[in-house]
Amino acid sequence: MKDIVIKDLCKRFADKVVLDRFSIVIPAGSIFGIMGESGCGKTTLLRILLGLEKADSGMIEGLPARISAVFQEDRLCDEFSAIENVAIAAPKKTPRAAIVECLAALGLGDALDRPVRALSGGMRRRVAIARALLAEGELLLLDEPFEGLDEETRRSVMAVVRRMAAGRTVVLVTHDEEEITALGASLYQMKE
Amino acid sequence: MVINEQVFFASPIDVVRRLVEILYELPVLSIFLYSLSRVLVGFFSGLVLGCLLAVVAARLSFVEVLLYPYMITIRSVPVASFVVLAILWFSSAALSGFISFLIVLPIVYNGVLAALHATDKQLNEMARVFCVPFWQRLRCIYIPQVRPALLAAAATSMGLAWKSGVAAELIGMPDGSIGMELYHAKLYLDTPALFAWTLIIVLGSLACEKLVAALLRLLLGGYRK
């Protein structure tokens, strides 16, 4: 696993410059928290790392081939159960027991086989987190992953994330400094 | 009846009476199955090819551009023009199947293509990020989003397949078909028979529509309510 080196990254959408010669080093195996005002380019940065947006210029080194992510939206297949939604992204040989264990750890033990469209917002969020945790990828990108969770659930979910993401490089985008502290992440303040 | 003239308009009683006569006099089941088999062959050919072409066109935009004039032409040209042309190409027995196919193809193609274009981009991105295999994408993302459009297209085109198939039989006059019986009704000014056969067509079309919808729901996992 290598450090991820981002150098002079630029991205513009029409007239709006979102990233202007943005440079940063994300240490391998660390939890790296990014905070900043809305619209400062946090999500765009994650989308570039995921290969969903192309940077106008700049360089990224050390990016692993497989990256896992919790998107800002849940992005679940509504008709399918929590287990199926996690299995879709997990490596082929992942045993069902491992998926069940992860979902149960996130407090979804009673909702394993229910279609996710029947779940509450907070439960759907946790399914999305489980999917990212069990998917392959040395790099885990979390875009406001704990939004919509109540305080108690948030704490227990953060503990699970911290335990299960150990050994991976994690980039956490958040507006809540408490999450940075709870996950033991280093903090980078992104400016417009 | 106000008109009191069977040639112009048959009363429900006359229609039922004639229907009973037809059921006794003619091998209605074999006539019905003859037309049904051709309509269904045309329908399922159009359904399968329409879906396949839509999938290819959704992935390759040049295929969509190439197919556009053909689909517009098939949709706009009157059935009768195709029938006259098809008589030269095929036997009269194969005519109704071919015409049904031509009617079903653009409806299914356009419906499925529009649904594929409207597929949730966020889910596609998710599948890309997690390297979800094609068959899983098909099962979890594409089929659930295309299913309503495909069911609607199938229901609409099934009715039209019957209409156009029987119209083709009326022109091509293959022996032992419903179209041939309609021709006889016209020839002998037997309006109650015309209405009776029309009733059989309507019931057949409705039954096919329900059966095909159930079959597609089963195949596409529509049981996941």
Side-chain angles (χ1 to χ4, degrees):
Chain A
M1 203 161 28
K2 294 177 187 167
D3 289 352
I4 297 163
V5 180
I6 299 167
K7 206 171 172 190
D8 294 333
L9 208 62
C10 293
K11 180 68 188 176
R12 162 196 291 268
F13 290 107
D15 290 343
K16 184 167 168 57
V17 177
V18 182
L19 296 171
D20 185 19
R21 297 175 66 83
F22 178 79
S23 298
I24 199 171
V25 176
I26 301 169
S30 68
I31 301 182
F32 192 84
I34 299 177
M35 288 183 72
E37 286 171 19
S38 296
C40 72
K42 304 184 297 289
T43 297
T44 303
L45 173 67
L46 295 196
R47 287 180 63 79
I48 291 171
L49 291 174
L50 285 168
L52 299 175
E53 295 286 351
K54 216 174 160 193
D56 297 333
S57 62
M59 187 187 71
I60 302 174
E61 282 176 354
L63 211 54
R66 297 289 288 267
I67 304 173
S68 182
V70 175
F71 299 91
Q72 229 171 40
E73 315 80 15
D74 301 323
R75 304 195 184 194
L76 300 173
C77 301
D78 281 340
E79 289 189 8
F80 291 83
S81 69
I83 288 186
E84 286 171 304
N85 267 282
V86 175
I88 198 177
K92 246 185 190 175
K93 287 177 184 165
T94 307
R96 185 184 153 95
I99 298 173
V100 170
E101 192 188 332
C102 178
L103 287 167
L106 292 167
L108 294 169
D110 296 336
L112 299 174
D113 292 311
R114 272 157 57 193
V116 292
R117 72 168 159 217
L119 303 183
S120 69
M123 291 165 102
R124 290 170 60 89
R125 199 73 194 129
R126 281 177 277 162
V127 175
I129 291 171
R131 181 179 62 191
L133 289 173
L134 286 180
E136 256 181 312
E138 292 170 359
L139 175 60
L140 176 59
L141 305 180
L142 307 174
D143 195 354
E144 299 180 28
F146 310 115
E147 281 290 311
L149 301 181
D150 62 73
E151 208 44 52
E152 194 181 330
T153 311
R154 182 186 294 228
R155 271 198 293 274
S156 67
V157 170
M158 280 194 288
V160 174
V161 169
R162 192 169 183 179
R163 175 166 56 85
M164 291 193 68
R168 294 159 106 176
T169 308
V170 179
V171 177
L172 168 70
V173 164
T174 181
H175 289 290
D176 188 346
E177 205 164 340
E178 262 183 51
E179 291 176 6
I180 304 270
T181 313
L183 287 175
S186 54
L187 173 61
Y188 178 83
Q189 194 72 41
M190 207 163 162
K191 293 190 179 83
E192 230 178 309
Chain B
M1 284 293 290
V2 177
I3 297 172
N4 199 23
E5 185 53 74
Q6 271 193 14
V7 173
F8 295 115
F9 207 89
S11 73
I13 296 163
D14 291 334
V15 173
V16 171
R17 193 181 296 141
R18 190 72 184 97
L19 181 62
V20 172
E21 284 170 14
I22 287 170
L23 287 170
Y24 273 108
E25 289 168 8
L26 293 170
V28 173
L29 186 64
S30 72
I31 292 171
F32 177 75
L33 289 178
Y34 180 97
S35 296
L36 172 74
S37 60
R38 274 128 187 101
V39 167
L40 285 185
V41 167
F43 172 81
F44 281 110
S45 309
L47 187 77
V48 172
L49 191 66
C51 289
L52 289 176
L53 288 177
V55 170
V56 176
R59 285 190 76 92
L60 308 168
S61 54
F62 78 91
V63 174
E64 186 182 354
V65 174
L66 278 176
L67 287 175
Y68 182 74
Y70 294 101
M71 290 300 168
I72 284 285
T73 306
I74 295 171
R75 233 173 30 192
S76 320
V77 171
V79 173
S81 307
F82 275 124
V83 173
V84 173
L85 190 63
I87 286 174
L88 304 173
W89 296 348
F90 306 106
S91 66
S92 60
L95 190 64
S96 61
F98 176 69
I99 295 300
S100 298
F101 163 78
L102 282 183
I103 293 297
V104 173
L105 179 70
I107 297 172
V108 172
Y109 170 81
N110 286 321
V112 173
L113 182 61
L116 285 172
H117 280 320
T119 307
D120 189 335
K121 286 189 174 56
Q122 292 190 342
L123 282 183
N124 281 331
E125 284 184 354
M126 179 278 291
R128 205 173 126 193
V129 165
F130 291 118
C131 302
V132 177
F134 174 74
W135 289 110
Q136 287 279 46
R137 288 183 198 210
L138 194 67
R139 191 174 78 92
C140 300
I141 298 174
Y142 297 124
I143 288 179
Q145 294 190 48
V146 166
R147 189 193 303 125
L150 184 58
L151 287 174
T156 308
S157 57
M158 176 50 87
L160 290 174
W162 266 101
K163 279 187 194 180
S164 57
V166 172
E169 285 178 350
L170 186 64
I171 299 171
M173 290 190 295
D175 283 336
S177 67
I178 293 178
M180 190 65 169
E181 294 306 321
L182 291 181
Y183 175 76
H184 287 151
K186 178 202 128 187
L187 196 66
Y188 303 122
L189 301 176
D190 187 354
T191 309
L194 173 71
F195 277 50
W197 279 109
T198 304
L199 187 63
I200 291 170
I201 294 167
V202 169
L203 293 175
S205 173
L206 274 176
C208 286
E209 196 181 308
K210 299 287 174 204
L211 285 173
V212 165
L215 180 71
L216 287 177
R217 276 202 189 91
L218 194 69
L219 287 174
L220 303 177
Y223 53 88
R224 287 172 177 275
K225 290 285 175 194

